[in-house]
Amino acid sequence: MKKALITGITGQDGSYLAELLIDKGYEVHGIVRRSSSFNRERIEHLIQNPDVYRNVLFLHYGDMTDSSAINRILEKIGPDEIFNLAAQSHVRISFDMPEYTGDVDGLGVTRILDAIREVGLVGECKFYQASTSEMFGSSPPPQNEETPFHPRSPYAAAKLYAHWMVVNYRQGYGLHASSGILFNHESPRRGRNFVTRKVAIAAARIKMGLQDRLALGNLDAKRDWGHAKDYVRAMYLMLQQPGGDDFVIATGKTHSIRNLLDTAFGSLELEWEKFVKVDERYFRPTEVDILMGDASKAKRTLGWEAEISFEKMVTELVDSEMRFLKA
């Protein structure tokens, strides 16, 4: 039985990845932060299954800012695969918390990479890093593995530092390390303060008469949106390759925030223009106008491609919120 360690297991991607690996027969370990309130609702269905939680899912307290805890966990588990999904992942918030974002998203990755080396796991375990399309910033689309990086936020800059550290540990120490340069990916498990989930929640609440306005920032920003389930499948496939590499994971299609509103509100037969207000507080100090990925390398090497459409993903988000409100 292979052992996998997932940082950020309680997040959107971490929860889907845990399900995928358990289905494939892995023993899954997750790092969780100690806090005054539990934030485990995305993996609660796994925790509540005694056969799973007792036999193949194990949680360990730790933090990306604590190298001693990371080293201790790696020594204890001896994982075959490590998936680093932990991050301060909200771009707009990174402008308000640039130092913390850099510590977790940048230096935190260095702590894990060096722990692998110090514990003696180089050659024995494979490492996956969650890089991001935000690293491309203002570079013109379509963006692929050869596109120059031009980060436009503290979040993107921190992720770019981590991305290059992975390259250096792969080349310098022979670590099987891969980075997935993932474009935006969503699901009903997405955080409530991300725009896709924010729009879905508002559309459902407006339909139910519980809300009458939605404030958003730049409605013309365009993103390449996919589904988180598709993207965690790509993460798994990267660590099944004979060597580490970097892969863009994307659908190759872009949609604006206006398109998102059309699809979400339209699924409930609502006209979004009657309810949406542009609020400058939600604009970024430096904006990224368009991101669109070219995942040709992933299709060619991994045999991966997105299966869930933008429209199906958005409708799933809205339907999930409607079921929640009706319940």
Side-chain angles (χ1 to χ4, degrees):
M1 181 181 286
K2 284 186 178 180
K3 294 182 182 179
L5 174 64
I6 304 173
T7 71
I9 193 171
T10 59
Q12 170 189 250
D13 292 4
S15 62
Y16 283 123
L17 181 60
E19 291 174 349
L20 176 67
L21 294 178
I22 289 171
D23 285 344
K24 291 185 177 296
Y26 279 65
E27 177 180 300
V28 175
H29 296 257
I31 295 180
V32 295
R33 287 181 297 167
R34 172 70 178 91
S35 65
S36 58
S37 59
F38 269 26
N39 181 28
R40 303 182 186 180
E41 60 270 12
R42 296 183 182 94
I43 58 171
E44 190 66 27
H45 61 294
L46 298 175
I47 294 173
Q48 293 301 323
N49 183 331
D51 291 332
V52 170
Y53 196 50
R54 184 184 304 119
N55 299 317
V56 295
L57 177 63
F58 305 91
L59 302 180
H60 310 264
Y61 283 114
D63 195 283
M64 296 296 288
T65 63
D66 186 349
S67 56
S68 63
I70 293 171
N71 283 43
R72 184 176 65 253
I73 291 169
L74 293 194
E75 276 191 311
K76 179 180 179 181
I77 300 170
D80 300 289
E81 298 173 3
I82 299 172
F83 296 86
N84 180 44
L85 311 183
Q88 190 300 100
S89 58
H90 197 286
V91 177
R92 179 62 189 84
I93 291 174
S94 77
F95 287 97
D96 300 324
M97 304 176 67
E99 182 181 343
Y100 176 77
T101 301
D103 193 11
V104 173
D105 298 9
L107 290 176
V109 178
T110 304
R111 294 182 183 107
I112 296 181
L113 291 170
D114 219 47
I116 293 171
R117 187 177 63 85
E118 290 185 0
V119 173
L121 293 176
V122 174
E124 296 183 20
C125 86
K126 302 174 182 179
F127 178 79
Y128 170 83
Q129 165 63 11
S131 288
T132 172
S133 60
E134 289 287 337
M135 299 187 307
F136 293 122
S138 56
S139 290
Q143 294 108 353
N144 61 28
E145 294 82 4
E146 304 303 320
T147 302
F149 296 119
H150 189 174
R152 300 277 286 168
S153 67
Y155 168 73
K159 282 288 192 174
L160 184 55
Y161 169 83
H163 180 83
W164 281 117
M165 289 301 288
V166 171
V167 171
N168 276 272
Y169 273 72
R170 180 169 67 219
Q171 296 177 350
Y173 298 109
L175 177 64
H176 189 305
S178 294
S179 288
I181 307 174
L182 271 55
F183 281 64
N184 295 66
H185 48 288
E186 320 296 324
S187 76
R189 299 182 191 178
R190 188 60 142 152
R192 294 173 64 89
N193 58 349
F194 287 84
V195 67
T196 47
R197 185 84 189 281
K198 189 175 180 180
V199 166
I201 290 170
R205 287 179 59 82
I206 289 169
K207 182 68 174 181
M208 298 291 284
L210 301 173
Q211 184 174 329
D212 57 10
R213 287 289 181 270
L214 169 62
L216 293 174
N218 181 11
L219 303 185
D220 296 314
K222 295 181 179 179
R223 294 292 183 268
D224 184 330
W225 272 301
H227 197 290
K229 281 187 176 180
D230 281 338
Y231 286 43
V232 299
R233 181 164 45 85
M235 299 175 192
Y236 166 77
L237 290 171
M238 286 181 214
L239 296 200
Q240 311 315 307
Q241 304 307 306
D245 206 345
D246 304 326
F247 295 92
V248 163
I249 303 299
T251 70
K253 301 176 182 178
T254 61
H255 300 273
S256 68
I257 303 298
R258 295 179 189 275
N259 297 147
L260 171 64
L261 290 165
D262 281 336
T263 306
F265 280 74
S267 69
L268 297 176
E269 300 181 334
L270 296 171
E271 297 179 25
W272 65 264
E273 294 89 347
K274 295 179 180 179
F275 308 102
V276 175
K277 172 187 175 183
V278 174
D279 190 332
E280 291 187 0
R281 290 180 301 172
Y282 296 103
F283 279 77
R284 302 178 185 178
T286 51
E287 185 58 77
V288 174
D289 296 321
I290 180 170
L291 292 171
M292 182 178 73
D294 172 10
S296 299
K297 181 179 176 180
K299 293 178 182 179
R300 184 174 61 252
T301 305
L302 307 178
W304 177 91
E305 60 182 314
E307 297 177 353
I308 302 173
S309 70
F310 170 79
E311 292 76 16
K312 185 175 181 180
M313 180 268 293
V314 176
T315 302
E316 181 188 356
L317 279 164
V318 175
D319 288 347
S320 175
E321 298 303 332
M322 287 296 292
R323 287 195 300 271
F324 173 76
L325 291 176
K326 289 178 180 179

